């Protein structure tokens, strides 16, 4: 999925994401080195890692997202190379100590084959002993929590009406979102976006990671140290290349 107009309001919608906790989680395993931030979005995490001293490279499939990320890096006076790439095609990128795929970005891949290819590509891009960090929606969130739509946000600057329905594949969801973005005091611009996501059981991700040549170091849930439960919504994986 390549974000379009959504890129321009992405940061305002993601204000509740605890990016600092994400950085702390990764830093607890990998304190420095060359880091590749896949599906970097508008570059929030990449900037935080760079400011901590990591040597950061960022990539995203969306040209709009990369434009905003590069603007962010320029304002922060950071030299972070960026690439427009799909996460399952990383030809030419190698020598990294850590790779991140943050904020359920992996769930935008439509097939299990794409996820497996991504793990294989990341494995090739990492140095021996390098770490892969990613999070995904749980099957519970996709199958049950998301089906509680519509979800509504009524804000002065950005409002939306968000409808969901099951996708064609198991554990998949289609998001249909209508946005109203304030342009003048009493004028809002309306646009619509459709996003599709798919997830898999924890055991499936684990099997694919091991098949790609990773050892799983930890699997936790919901920005905590707790193991996933049947009610967990976001699953975090930390794996090491062997």
């Amino acid at each position: 999925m390549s974000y379009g107009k959504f890129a321009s309001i992405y940061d305002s919608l993601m204000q509740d994401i605890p990016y600092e906790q994400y950085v702390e989680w990764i830093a607890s395993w990998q304190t420095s080195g060359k880091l590749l931030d896949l599906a970097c979005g508008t570059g929030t995490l990449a900037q935080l890692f760079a400011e901590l001293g990591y040597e950061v490279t960022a990539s995203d499939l969306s040209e709009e997202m990369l434009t905003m990320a590069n603007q962010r890096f320029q304002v922060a006076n950071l030299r972070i190379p960026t690439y427009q790439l799909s996460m399952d095609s990383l030809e030419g990128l190698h020598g990294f100590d850590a790779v991140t795929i943050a904020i359920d970005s992996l769930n935008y891949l439509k097939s299990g084959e794409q996820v497996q290819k991504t793990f294989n590509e990341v494995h090739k891009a990492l140095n021996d002993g390098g770490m892969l960090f990613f999070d995904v929606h749980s099957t519970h969130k996709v199958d049950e929590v998301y089906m509680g739509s519509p979800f509504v946000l009524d804000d002065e600057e950005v409002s939306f009406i968000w409808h969901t329905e099951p996708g064609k594949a198991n554990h998949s969801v289609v998001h249909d979102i209508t946005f109203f973005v304030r342009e003048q005091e009493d004028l809002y611009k309306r646009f619509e976006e459709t996003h599709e996501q798919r997830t898999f059981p924890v055991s499936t991700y684990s099997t694919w990671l091991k098949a790609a040549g990773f050892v799983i170091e930890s699997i936790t849930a919901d920005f905590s140290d707790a193991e996933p439960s049947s009610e967990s919504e976001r699953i975090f994986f930390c794996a090491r290349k062997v």
Side-chain angles (χ1 to χ4, degrees), residues 200-208 237:
F200 299 89
V202 171
S203 59
T204 301
Y205 286 114
S206 299
T207 297
W208 290 341
F237 288 82

Side-chain angles (χ1 to χ4, degrees), residues 130-194:
M131 306 289 291
L132 167 62
F133 305 90
F134 67 93
D135 67 278
V136 290
H137 293 316
S138 68
T139 55
H140 165 70
K141 183 173 185 179
V142 170
D143 295 344
E144 299 183 42
V145 176
Y146 271 146
M147 294 305 113
S149 75
F151 309 108
V152 177
L153 172 68
D154 186 7
D155 186 78
E156 288 187 3
E157 299 300 324
V158 179
S159 299
F160 64 69
I161 303 172
W162 173 7
H163 293 273
T164 61
E165 62 181 30
K168 294 180 180 179
N170 290 336
H171 311 308
S172 66
V173 59
V174 179
H175 310 275
D176 289 312
I177 314 173
T178 301
F179 293 97
F180 301 89
V181 182
R182 187 176 186 177
E183 292 192 334
Q184 300 177 20
E185 184 174 351
D186 295 317
L187 178 63
Y188 287 77
K189 184 176 181 179
R190 171 179 170 163
F191 68 91
E192 298 178 351
E193 294 252 342
T194 297

Side-chain angles (χ1 to χ4, degrees), residues 1 27 38 102 118 130-131 137 160 163 176 209 215 217 225 240:
M1 173 69 197
L38 292 180
T118 296
M131 306 289 291
H137 293 316
F160 64 69
H163 293 273
D176 289 312
L209 284 167
V215 170
E217 298 285 0
D225 293 329
R240 185 184 303 276

